[in-house]
Amino acid sequence: MKLKKALGVFSEKFKDPSICESCGEEFICGATLKGCWCMEIKLADEAREDLKAKFRNCLCRNCLEKLAFDADRV
């Protein structure tokens, strides 16, 4: 099991599913040595800090994109 977790640093296919704290859906976190899809989503530093204060773990791509879109509209 530790080997699988370590391999997850290199590829998403070795990662166990996570649960989005916002919607409760299962997803695979994209964080690898190449980066993560969450870094592709444009969020102001203040919005990222707000999310860090509200949630302990990763959010799914759909929720993060929705939150980014909502933040832009404010």
Side-chain angles (χ1 to χ4, degrees), residues 27-66:
F27 72 101
I28 300 293
C29 176
T32 65
L33 287 176
K34 295 186 287 185
C36 183
W37 51 261
C38 68
M39 298 310 289
E40 298 169 6
I41 298 171
K42 304 292 187 244
L43 278 172
D45 291 340
E46 185 177 294
R48 280 197 191 272
E49 290 304 315
D50 287 344
L51 291 175
K52 286 180 186 178
K54 286 181 183 177
F55 303 106
R56 289 184 22 189
N57 296 311
C58 295
L59 302 181
C60 69
R61 186 176 195 125
N62 289 339
C63 285
L64 194 54
E65 286 176 342
K66 181 182 181 320

